[in-house]
Amino acid sequence: MHRTPFKNLIPPPPTLRLTERRIALLVVDFQVFAADRSAGLGRLAAERGLEEELEEYYEQVGCARRNVRDLVTAFRARHLPVLYSRRVAEPGTVPPWVPTADDATASLVPELAPVAGEAVVTRAATSPFVGGALDAAMTAAHVESVVVAGLILGGAVDCAVREAAERGRAVVLAADACAAETYALHDCVCTQLGGGAVRVRSTDAVLALLA
């Protein structure tokens, strides 16, 4: 159990029904290099004999993959915006597992790929909001609240949640539609993020809020 005593000093976020606000789904960096064991992170771990170190991560990726698919399906069925972020690297930069834009592993995983009209924001930094394109896309779609899901929870997803909240949007983190390096880290990040303008919910709970 992770203690967050400062949160006892602030009131809990008010009840939110997603149908009452302009809502979008943000899928963060669900790319081949981060989701496929044979590419990127998985390939690097295999080269170094560290495959077992990533078992918990890939177990979470499998769960997140199914849940993101369900969220995407639900949002599209309700004609609600679905936005995607994608991270690429400039040649010769670190970390070494992030591919350049022309690498096939930089693409979003096929079953979660965007359809016509869905925005994809590409950047080289950790935060999906760097450069302003993502915020501009949300503003253009009149997004007031956002459900966040994707990879990796302790990196780009964390940044996306915090920065969306700082920009005045109500945020729902779909916890089981994200993956972290370990289960313990997943729990820790979710505990840290919850509260204030951020609600941490399961995918099933998010789908119920959309009903």
Side-chain angles (χ1 to χ4, degrees):
M1 174 67 73
H2 304 282
R3 295 178 62 248
T4 54
F6 286 173
K7 290 184 180 177
N8 295 327
L9 306 179
I10 59 174
T15 301
L16 173 68
R17 284 188 59 82
L18 298 183
T19 51
E20 296 173 353
R21 304 171 69 98
R22 294 181 181 271
I23 178 72
L25 172 65
L26 172 61
V27 180
V28 178
D29 301 359
F30 226 112
Q31 297 164 255
V32 172
F33 83 87
D36 190 332
R37 285 177 181 263
S38 66
L41 292 166
R43 178 180 54 79
L44 188 61
E47 290 173 355
R48 299 183 179 183
L50 299 172
E51 297 98 324
E52 291 186 5
E53 289 292 311
L54 271 62
E55 280 302 314
E56 290 187 15
Y57 171 71
Y58 283 113
E59 286 177 5
Q60 293 173 72
V61 169
C63 178
R65 207 166 186 152
R66 294 187 295 273
N67 288 328
V68 171
R69 182 191 60 213
D70 290 346
L71 289 168
V72 168
T73 299
F75 272 72
R76 287 175 179 165
R78 291 162 175 79
H79 305 289
L80 296 170
V82 179
L83 303 97
Y84 293 84
S85 72
R86 189 174 75 108
R87 185 179 182 185
V88 299
E90 298 293 337
T93 60
V94 294
W97 59 80
V98 178
T100 54
D102 59 351
D103 191 311
T105 66
S107 62
L108 299 166
V109 296
E111 70 268 31
L112 302 179
V115 298
E118 293 177 343
V120 181
V121 175
T122 301
R123 88 288 175 194
T126 300
S127 171
F129 279 92
V130 164
L134 180 57
D135 191 51
M138 289 187 177
T139 299
H142 306 288
V143 172
E144 296 177 356
S145 53
V146 58
V147 174
V148 181
L151 308 175
I152 295 171
L153 181 58
V157 173
D158 184 305
C159 291
V161 166
R162 294 179 188 274
E163 294 193 38
E166 287 176 357
R167 285 165 170 76
R169 296 184 174 94
V171 182
V172 179
L173 174 65
D176 56 0
C178 303
E181 293 175 58
T182 65
Y183 288 117
L185 186 57
H186 187 286
D187 290 346
C188 181
V189 175
C190 287
T191 299
Q192 289 178 326
L193 288 175
V198 179
R199 298 147 179 88
V200 178
R201 300 289 186 270
S202 68
T203 296
D204 285 346
V206 172
L207 295 175
L209 289 169
L210 288 171

